[in-house]
Amino acid sequence: MLRTALRNVLAHKARLLMTVLAVMLGVAFVSGTLVFTDTLGNAFRNLSAKSYDDVAVAVSTQADPRAEKVAGVDDATLERFRALDGVASATGRVSGFAGVADPDGKLIGDGWSNTGGNFAPGKDGEDAAYDFTKGSGPVEDDQVALDEETARRGEYRVGEPVRVATNGPVKEYTLSGVFTTEDGAVNAGGSLVLFDTAAAQRLFLRPGVFQSATVAAAPGASDQKLLDAIEPLLPKDATAQTGKALAEEQAVQIEKGLSDLNWMLLAFAGIALFVGIFLIANTFTMLVAQRTRELALMRAVGASRRQVKRSVLVEAAVVGTVASVIGFALGVGLATALRSGMGLLGGKIPAGPLIVSPVAVGAAFGVGVLITVLAAWLPARRASKIAPVAAMSSVHAVASTKSLVVRNSIGGVITLLGAAGIVGGAAIGETNGRLLVAGGAFLALIGVIVLIPLLSRPVIALVRPLLTKLFGVSGKLASQNAVRNPRRTGATASALAIGLTLVTSISVLGVTLGQAVDRMTTDNIKADYMVSMAGGGSLDPSALDALSRADGVTALSPQQPAWLDIDGDSHAASAVTPGDFEKVFSLKTVSGSLGSLKDGQIAIGSETARSNGWKTGDMLPVKFDDGKKDELKVGALFEQNDFLSPVVMPKDLADAHSPSARPEIREIWIKTDGGASEANEKSVVNALGDNPAMSVMDQQDIRDLFGGFVNTALNIMYGLLAMALLIAVLGVVNTLAMSVFERQQEIGMLRAIGLDRRKVKRMIRLEAVVISVFGAVIGVGLGVFLGWAIGQTLAADVPGYALVIPWDRLGIFLVLAGLVGVLAALWPARSAAKLNMLTAIKTE
């Protein structure tokens, strides 16, 4: 029986090709994900360990220029560290945002990954953290050094001027040197600017103070003993760890971050493999049907049911093994390509070997073989039930009425339970509702898959008259062939239905959220421009003064974060400029007047006021950031939005109680004379000193900023689901190809009675289109239902949420499904048309 199974695999190589491809793609997805994340994790862990090789003890603080009470590490503390026995050196570090422009004046990097630090040379004049390839480190206030990649992208050479942007105005420095580094921000595509230590302290903290320090041990000194000696010398709010402990901690964080990526990619790989199950099951079902006489004769000559079943499962195991071998090799190649692709996109992965772990190998082969064998189990079971008497006929037994009734009854119950869970989850909302929707979606999808064979007859019957009218006998035959074997049609359509259910639900949700964000922007903003720092940093107050003098600016207000303790509870506040504030934001006043801000009163969001029992005119006891207390009058209530905090207060009041001399300004909103225009934008940019780190966005840019996250997420989801859809397409090709082989005699008869080759091709193509569009209609319908339900669970958190059905995209999905059918039928249709009618008629 084993030899028979192996011979059958070799005899049906062409018919098993699509199954091999489906399993191969799924295994490649799984193995590629595991190898890629293992390689990534190993590289970053090695980098983390390397960066702390020479660090015995690392000291860190929360020192910040706006929080003067946090001491940081001063020069005196560093000297005390250096005086300890066993200390070879102690180096202070300070860092903050610093950006450099490319030749076009655009910021190099993404903002959050643009950093500045201090060059801290030892007695030998070198800083062990950096290797200079050109020039040397900065030792004067007007000098900087750049990492090698930033210097290349900016086309800067040693001795040339470099414009560097920090939170304040742009300044020009002389490039003293270029260095290499394994800094994480640079590896992420950002930049690193080194300043002289004194200059860096003035820019990022305070003179004579560091945010952190590293201590190197003398030969033979114990890291733990040094840590014990350093801890009593630490300033308030500072912490210390050994370099080894810090490296291990970072390794855990890296592992955790990559684990989330790993599980997300594996989830999509699971979807692809789930879709592949239908292709595999269909293939073996059709092979069993085509070998009815062969299997029955095996039974007649003494093979037991168990042996017949085992032979089919052995075939599946062989196919799964071959596909897993190829898929694993493809997965390793995919991981290598992903690693290279990240480099091309600007991300720099530290050097290191490709990691192929036993887990990746075991998972790839385990998944590939297991999925194939499980998918083939039901066809194998059916094969074992073929009676020896079936050797008298090559026609496979048709499913009994009883089996169809049982199947449809079970499918109906599961579908109803799933629909009830989806509707119930939509009604409950929030996290619990989303969990219920997810459970209901799984049941509904399983139920619809079970019911698809039942649904195929009435649904396809609706389009039969149209097909007959448009395409004549080819259309009529195609529609009849599509429902001749409902289970086969259902299994083929199910694969497409699963993929399009997910794609459609994501599209409905994405478009709905995108338009909600767009409405939120247009409904709440009057400003022509928003100015912010790249990467979300805070703007220097000098930017406000510069913009107030810019030509064309008619109204100007910051959005300055603050905190107020009201009645013992902490509340986020936005400090704004009274008078101008109303010209840049479009707030709906519930009661009172926003003009009361000029009198030192506050405005409160209606939801916050309602939950606390506050109303216009109330005097509220307030404690400010600086610890002082007062009573403030509620001058207005407004409808809350996501652009402002629940409490709005005058900027002068916030500045008077700010614990820092440099208040934090997140955004500046600007109204200009004549609205957004090229001249007004140029005026704003020039007022800011043409600072590459400061972003000037008009209303469309703001909409794109907030809506861009939704679009990016949508595109990633589409890309990850592409594998599942590709496998579904292979399923259509496979079903048609094997169906043509199965119906050779029938096609020969049709040719003999006058159906020409062109009409035979058309019949096969139309059959593929009918099956594909049928699956697409089911998937789109279920996807819209799921998109609505998930949206309902998010509605409370998204102001102005309203369901939007993207009819244009749904239409494109259906058209693409039809195109998939046409393309999938190219090979089977050509094979059918080339059949010799006399040979086909004699075929059994």
Side-chain angles (χ1 to χ4, degrees):
M1 292 302 293
L2 178 62
R3 287 197 300 271
T4 301
L6 295 175
R7 285 173 181 168
N8 280 327
V9 171
L10 295 175
H12 301 121
K13 295 189 293 292
R15 282 177 269 177
L16 289 168
L17 177 62
M18 296 301 170
T19 297
V20 171
L21 285 174
V23 179
M24 179 189 75
L25 290 173
V27 169
F29 205 151
V30 171
S31 58
T33 294
L34 293 173
V35 171
F36 176 65
T37 51
D38 285 347
T39 300
L40 212 60
N42 180 72
F44 280 110
R45 280 192 296 272
N46 289 342
L47 174 63
S48 176
K50 181 181 177 182
S51 62
Y52 290 104
D53 274 350
D54 299 323
V55 177
V57 177
V59 177
S60 60
T61 72
Q62 298 299 316
D64 186 278
R66 294 181 301 273
E68 297 181 5
K69 292 180 181 178
V70 180
V73 179
D74 57 23
D75 290 330
T77 303
L78 273 182
E79 288 301 325
R80 285 195 288 271
F81 292 165
R82 294 185 183 112
L84 293 172
D85 290 337
V87 171
S89 65
T91 306
R93 298 292 180 188
V94 62
S95 63
F97 172 82
V100 179
D102 64 15
D104 296 325
K106 303 295 183 182
L107 185 69
I108 296 174
D110 300 317
W112 63 269
S113 58
N114 297 111
T115 57
N118 63 303
F119 174 68
K123 294 178 181 179
D124 58 357
E126 302 291 332
D127 188 330
Y130 310 104
D131 294 322
F132 279 81
T133 57
K134 297 176 184 177
S136 59
V139 292
E140 303 289 342
D141 284 359
D142 62 348
Q143 292 181 334
V144 293
L146 297 177
D147 68 90
E148 198 168 52
E149 182 63 15
T150 300
R152 184 191 66 78
R153 291 168 65 182
E155 300 179 8
Y156 292 114
R157 295 179 177 83
V158 173
E160 291 183 347
V162 179
R163 295 177 75 245
V164 179
T166 56
N167 287 17
V170 178
K171 292 183 180 179
E172 195 170 273
Y173 298 83
T174 300
L175 184 63
S176 67
V178 176
F179 58 88
T180 59
T181 178
E182 293 296 338
D183 183 89
V186 176
N187 284 326
S191 62
L192 177 59
V193 182
L194 292 183
F195 299 86
D196 173 64
T197 294
Q201 287 175 325
R202 286 194 297 272
L203 281 171
F204 303 129
L205 198 55
R206 293 183 299 279
V209 180
F210 299 95
Q211 290 158 328
S212 61
T214 56
V215 176
S222 165
D223 292 356
Q224 186 59 49
K225 287 183 178 179
L226 283 180
L227 175 63
D228 293 339
I230 286 172
E231 283 182 332
L233 305 178
L234 293 177
K236 186 181 179 182
D237 299 320
T239 58
Q241 288 178 281
T242 62
K244 183 178 179 181
L246 194 56
E248 290 174 354
E249 185 179 289
Q250 288 195 1
V252 170
Q253 294 299 319
I254 291 169
E255 194 76 32
K256 183 179 178 182
L258 290 175
S259 176
D260 296 337
L261 173 65
N262 208 19
W263 281 112
M264 184 187 75
L265 293 176
L266 287 176
F268 283 94
I271 293 170
L273 288 168
F274 183 59
V275 170
I277 288 175
F278 294 93
L279 190 159
I280 300 165
N282 235 6
T283 300
F284 279 94
T285 297
M286 295 173 76
L287 283 175
V288 167
Q290 293 166 11
R291 290 160 49 199
T292 300
R293 175 174 290 184
E294 173 193 329
L295 294 172
L297 284 172
M298 289 172 62
R299 291 290 314 284
V301 297
S304 67
R305 286 187 173 185
R306 180 176 295 179
Q307 286 177 311
V308 170
K309 181 178 178 181
R310 191 180 299 157
S311 71
V312 176
L313 293 178
V314 167
E315 290 180 44
V318 171
V319 170
T321 302
V322 171
S324 296
V325 170
I326 301 172
F328 182 74
L330 188 63
V332 173
L334 178 64
T336 304
L338 282 172
R339 182 175 175 176
S340 301
M342 285 187 68
L344 293 175
L345 293 173
K348 183 181 175 184
I349 299 177
L354 196 70
I355 303 299
V356 182
S357 67
V359 173
V361 177
F365 282 87
V367 166
V369 176
L370 184 64
I371 289 292
T372 311
V373 171
L374 285 176
W377 180 81
L378 194 57
R381 184 171 175 270
R382 289 177 185 155
S384 68
K385 290 185 175 182
I386 296 175
V389 72
M392 300 299 294
S393 171
S394 62
V395 179
H396 187 53
V398 180
S400 66
T401 302
K402 180 181 178 182
S403 68
L404 291 175
V405 169
V406 171
R407 175 189 177 119
N408 295 333
S409 299
I410 293 173
V413 171
I414 295 174
T415 303
L416 287 174
L417 287 174
I422 293 171
V423 173
I428 294 172
E430 298 183 342
T431 303
N432 291 334
R434 286 191 282 275
L435 292 174
L436 191 55
V437 168
F442 178 75
L443 290 176
L445 200 56
I446 296 298
V448 168
I449 289 169
V450 174
L451 285 176
I452 273 186
L454 174 66
L455 296 172
S456 64
R457 289 186 181 276
V459 173
I460 295 176
L462 291 174
V463 298
R464 185 179 301 163
L466 180 62
L467 290 173
T468 303
K469 184 176 180 180
L470 293 176
F471 303 102
V473 66
S474 295
K476 183 177 181 179
L477 289 171
S479 60
Q480 289 175 341
N481 289 335
V483 295
R484 178 187 296 182
N485 191 327
R487 283 184 172 176
R488 182 188 302 166
T489 297
T492 306
S494 293
L496 273 174
I498 294 168
L500 281 175
T501 294
L502 297 171
V503 168
T504 301
S505 60
I506 289 170
S507 296
V508 170
L509 191 61
V511 171
T512 299
L513 291 175
Q515 293 203 15
V517 170
D518 193 64
R519 282 193 300 273
M520 181 177 67
T521 303
T522 55
D523 290 350
N524 294 304
I525 296 175
K526 290 181 183 178
D528 297 315
Y529 298 103
M530 180 186 79
V531 175
S532 61
M533 284 297 295
S538 60
L539 292 157
D540 191 86
S542 62
L544 266 178
D545 297 331
L547 288 170
S548 67
R549 297 189 296 271
D551 293 337
V553 173
T554 58
L556 184 72
S557 177
Q559 207 277 65
Q560 183 176 313
W563 289 90
L564 291 178
D565 190 304
I566 307 175
D567 277 342
D569 293 325
S570 184
H571 294 272
S574 292
V576 300
T577 303
D580 284 5
F581 160 68
E582 298 94 309
K583 297 175 184 177
V584 296
F585 285 102
S586 179
L587 289 186
K588 295 179 181 178
T589 306
V590 176
S591 63
S593 171
L594 293 173
S596 60
L597 291 171
K598 291 182 178 179
D599 301 323
Q601 299 176 18
I602 60 174
I604 298 179
S606 54
E607 294 177 19
T608 301
R610 184 166 49 251
S611 62
N612 288 277
W614 300 331
K615 61 184 183 299
T616 304
D618 285 353
M619 297 297 295
L620 303 179
V622 171
K623 182 179 179 181
F624 295 100
D625 280 345
D626 60 358
K628 295 181 181 179
K629 298 179 180 181
D630 199 351
E631 281 195 346
L632 296 179
K633 186 177 181 180
V634 179
L637 301 183
F638 63 91
E639 288 189 10
Q640 287 180 223
N641 61 62
D642 286 349
F643 289 95
L644 290 167
S645 300
V647 179
V648 175
M649 64 189 297
K651 182 181 184 302
D652 291 343
L653 183 63
D655 290 345
H657 294 282
S658 174
S660 170
R662 294 172 59 188
E664 183 180 10
I665 299 175
R666 289 294 181 186
E667 302 136 12
I668 299 175
W669 298 86
I670 305 168
K671 189 71 176 173
T672 56
D673 186 15
S677 67
E678 186 176 344
N680 283 335
E681 182 172 345
K682 186 176 181 180
S683 174
V684 170
V685 171
N686 289 339
L688 294 170
D690 196 14
N691 191 324
M694 291 185 183
S695 172
V696 179
M697 291 184 284
D698 59 21
Q699 285 202 13
Q700 185 57 52
D701 293 330
I702 296 168
R703 288 198 292 269
D704 293 341
L705 173 68
F706 290 100
F709 297 113
V710 176
N711 292 330
T712 300
L714 270 179
N715 292 332
I716 291 173
M717 294 293 182
Y718 288 156
L720 292 173
L721 287 171
M723 187 73 76
L725 291 172
L726 177 59
I727 292 175
V729 172
L730 292 178
V732 179
V733 177
N734 197 47
T735 297
L736 289 172
M738 298 188 73
S739 178
V740 167
F741 180 85
E742 188 178 81
R743 288 152 43 196
Q744 286 186 67
Q745 188 178 59
E746 174 191 317
I747 293 170
M749 290 294 294
L750 289 171
R751 290 287 318 282
I753 61 176
L755 196 68
D756 60 28
R757 289 185 175 183
R758 183 170 56 84
K759 290 182 178 178
V760 169
K761 284 184 178 181
R762 183 183 297 166
M763 177 185 72
I764 301 298
R765 285 197 294 265
L766 289 174
E767 183 180 345
V769 170
V770 166
I771 293 173
S772 298
V773 174
F774 168 61
V777 168
I778 297 294
V780 166
L782 188 55
V784 170
F785 182 41
L786 283 178
W788 164 81
I790 297 171
Q792 290 299 113
T793 66
L794 299 170
D797 300 321
V798 181
Y801 178 91
L803 178 67
V804 178
I805 298 179
W807 296 108
D808 53 343
R809 297 196 189 193
L810 302 189
I812 291 172
F813 294 159
L814 294 176
V815 170
L816 288 177
L819 182 61
V820 161
V822 172
L823 295 176
L826 288 177
W827 172 43
R830 186 169 178 271
S831 300
K834 288 176 66 177
L835 286 175
N836 182 289
M837 66 180 75
L838 295 178
T839 303
I841 290 171
K842 292 188 295 180
T843 301
E844 295 187 6

